Amino acid sequence: MLFEISEKMIRVLKAFTEPRIATKDIVKEPAHKSPIFRGRHEIKWDVCIGCDACNKICPVDAIKMKPLPLKKPNKVPEVNLAICIFCGLCEDVCPTKPKAIKLSGGDIEMITEGTPEALENFWVRVEIPEEWIEKKKKEEEEKARKKAEMMAKKKAEAEAKKKAQASKAQNESKKSAPAQKGDEK
Ligand code: SF4
Ligand code: SF4
């Protein structure tokens, strides 16, 4: 019993006096970087079409879609690097050219204290300027107005065509009516 207590005390003392080896190594040595490491995500929100493909393909649910007050894109991805396994599937599946989501190279510091605040730093967030949103909204409104105008024009043209056909048919039946009467005499 006494032996166990003293052994524990020595271990506790050691923990206080000797730095933890793993931490010491990571801080001293540059982190090992895989030759296939492609870096952290870069998100081009002005290219994204909000198709959701990156979110759907992510095998670990590291992507969350941020809603936007627009028709297209109505959402853009944000990535939680604390969950991400850097498989690159999100980039591979992205249909835009250039890619709206891309593992763009560069180092990434993945050492953290593990506090909620520190983990928040692992999010690749998308901050879109309000002016851009307003500009896109106006573009969408203008597009919708032009579309409505075009539809109304097409509808008016179709109705005019229908009327013209009806009046032509009426005229033709009037012309053929006296001829039929003559034939009867
Ligand atoms: S790299 Fe892979 S794990 Fe990371 S966000 Fe993209 S699809 Fe998900
Ligand atoms: S980043 Fe690419 S795959 Fe993801 S929603 Fe945007 S366009 Fe679609």
Side-chain angles (χ1 to χ4, degrees):
M1 180 74 174
L2 197 63
F3 175 73
E4 277 174 13
I5 290 172
S6 50
E7 198 191 11
K8 264 187 194 168
M9 282 177 70
I10 290 169
R11 278 215 308 272
V12 170
L13 272 173
K14 270 189 177 177
F16 275 107
T17 51
E18 290 178 12
R20 275 163 280 179
I21 301 304
T23 308
K24 192 173 125 191
D25 282 352
I26 289 168
V27 173
K28 270 191 168 178
E29 305 294 329
H32 164 72
K33 198 160 88 177
S34 160
I36 58 165
F37 177 67
R38 293 195 278 173
R40 62 181 281 152
H41 303 62
E42 189 186 12
I43 297 164
K44 287 190 167 67
W45 42 265
D46 51 343
V47 176
C48 177
I49 54 170
C51 70
D52 209 26
C54 53
N55 181 29
K56 282 186 183 148
I57 197 106
C58 180
V60 290
D61 204 17
I63 295 178
K64 290 277 171 286
M65 299 303 285
K66 176 180 179 168
L68 297 183
L70 293 171
K71 282 190 184 144
K72 203 174 175 181
N74 61 357
K75 52 189 178 298
V76 287
E78 293 187 324
V79 184
N80 186 351
L81 298 179
I83 299 176
C84 174
I85 55 170
F86 299 93
C87 63
L89 284 173
C90 51
E91 177 185 332
D92 296 341
V93 84
C94 180
T96 62
K97 278 183 191 170
K99 297 274 185 186
I101 189 164
K102 189 172 169 58
L103 278 72
S104 58
D107 283 341
I108 181 168
E109 182 58 77
M110 294 297 285
I111 302 167
T112 173
E113 296 159 2
T115 59
E117 295 76 31
L119 288 171
E120 181 58 27
N121 292 333
F122 283 153
W123 275 94
V124 178
R125 297 283 188 199
V126 175
E127 297 302 335
I128 304 181
E130 204 52 45
E131 306 85 68
W132 187 83
I133 302 232
E134 288 307 314
K135 192 175 152 233
K136 286 289 276 184
K137 268 188 192 169
K138 278 188 186 147
E139 281 173 11
E140 283 180 354
E141 279 165 14
E142 182 63 11
K143 211 171 156 185
R145 190 186 60 76
K146 280 188 179 163
K147 195 178 170 188
E149 266 178 20
M150 208 168 74
M151 295 292 282
K153 196 179 163 193
K154 274 189 181 171
K155 198 178 165 192
E157 279 172 2
E159 272 171 15
K161 200 176 168 187
K162 212 170 152 187
K163 267 188 192 167
Q165 278 172 348
S167 117
K168 196 180 167 191
Q170 209 176 17
N171 286 344
E172 276 170 7
S173 71
K174 270 183 192 167
K175 271 184 204 165
S176 62
Q180 275 175 7
K181 276 182 190 169
D183 291 348
E184 280 167 17
K185 281 176 190 175

